[in-house]
Amino acid sequence: AGGAIRINNTLTSVQAKTLIDFEQITITKCSSYISGGGIAMSAIDGTFKGVNITDCNSLQYGGGLAIIGNTDTPIQSTPTNSLELDGNGLIFSGNTAINGSQISVYDANLTIKGYTFDGLTYLDMIKDKKTNDNTFINNTFINNTFINNGGAIYAESSNLTLDTCIFNNFYCYGDGGVIYYETGTNDDID
């Protein structure tokens, strides 16, 4: 996990979370087999400002970014890990993954403010069933296409807040052309 950066906090206590604030970083052309082609992080709180994750690939979850909550305990009814993505200077472009080409979030709180996602590169990849330099392997193909969920964002057992966001050019052969959201067994939905 984490083609360029992997932050793995293995402590299970809520007080043991890692605080991450990334500003003005660029990650390009990285890949991971499992999750987070650019960055994979767990048990975190933090913010991203001026972060550019481009042309990264994950064969499973989160082509650009994978956020993983505390997986050592049962899914919480309210996730305790939080990440905020500030649209000012944020760039997610050309990232690919089966689930959530740009972002995958599991058992965490994710807030995205003021950002435009454009999946044109991702859409071209889906049409061709391959990434720029790599062909997807070990995937389910039906009628010569692979099944994917969440063209832009894949969220499971998480709280997702989108404020003034625009999504262009996303598609999937499974569920959720832009966003796929799967609730956990302990989620409260109002």
Side-chain angles (χ1 to χ4, degrees):
I5 298 172
R6 171 63 167 132
I7 301 165
N8 187 25
N9 184 348
T10 59
L11 301 174
T12 58
S13 169
V14 172
Q15 289 78 25
K17 289 186 292 188
T18 302
L19 178 61
I20 299 295
D21 291 316
F22 283 149
E23 290 190 37
Q24 306 303 319
I25 66 168
T26 299
I27 296 171
T28 60
K29 297 184 180 180
C30 298
S31 64
S32 170
Y33 180 75
I34 297 172
S35 62
I39 299 173
M41 51 182 47
S42 61
I44 50 88
D45 275 344
T47 59
F48 280 23
K49 293 180 181 178
V51 173
N52 176 348
I53 302 175
T54 305
D55 297 329
C56 292
N57 178 299
S58 170
L59 291 180
Q60 295 182 30
Y61 296 93
L65 172 65
I67 306 157
I68 304 132
N70 187 354
T71 59
D72 291 335
T73 60
I75 294 173
Q76 307 296 312
S77 60
T78 303
T80 59
N81 301 292
S82 299
L83 183 66
E84 181 177 310
L85 304 179
D86 184 332
N88 186 17
L90 187 67
I91 298 172
F92 280 87
S93 176
N95 301 307
T96 58
I98 298 301
N99 295 300
S101 70
Q102 307 308 307
I103 299 170
S104 170
V105 57
Y106 175 79
D107 193 27
N109 299 304
L110 175 62
T111 300
I112 304 171
K113 295 181 178 179
Y115 184 67
T116 299
F117 288 87
D118 194 327
L120 190 56
T121 303
Y122 176 69
L123 188 60
D124 289 342
M125 182 275 305
I126 284 186
K127 288 178 182 176
D128 294 339
K129 295 175 288 306
K130 62 182 181 179
T131 63
N132 292 336
D133 298 319
N134 303 305
T135 301
F136 278 123
I137 57 174
N138 297 328
N139 295 311
T140 303
F141 283 83
I142 296 176
N143 297 328
N144 207 24
T145 61
F146 66 90
I147 301 300
N148 64 319
N149 293 311
I153 297 173
Y154 178 93
E156 186 175 334
S157 301
S158 298
N159 293 321
L160 183 61
T161 303
L162 304 173
D163 182 357
T164 318
C165 293
I166 299 170
F167 295 88
N168 295 316
N169 302 310
F170 287 98
Y171 181 84
C172 74
Y173 288 104
D175 297 318
V178 172
I179 298 170
Y180 176 85
Y181 181 86
E182 181 175 317
T183 61
T185 56
N186 295 328
D187 282 351
D188 294 323
I189 300 175
D190 296 324

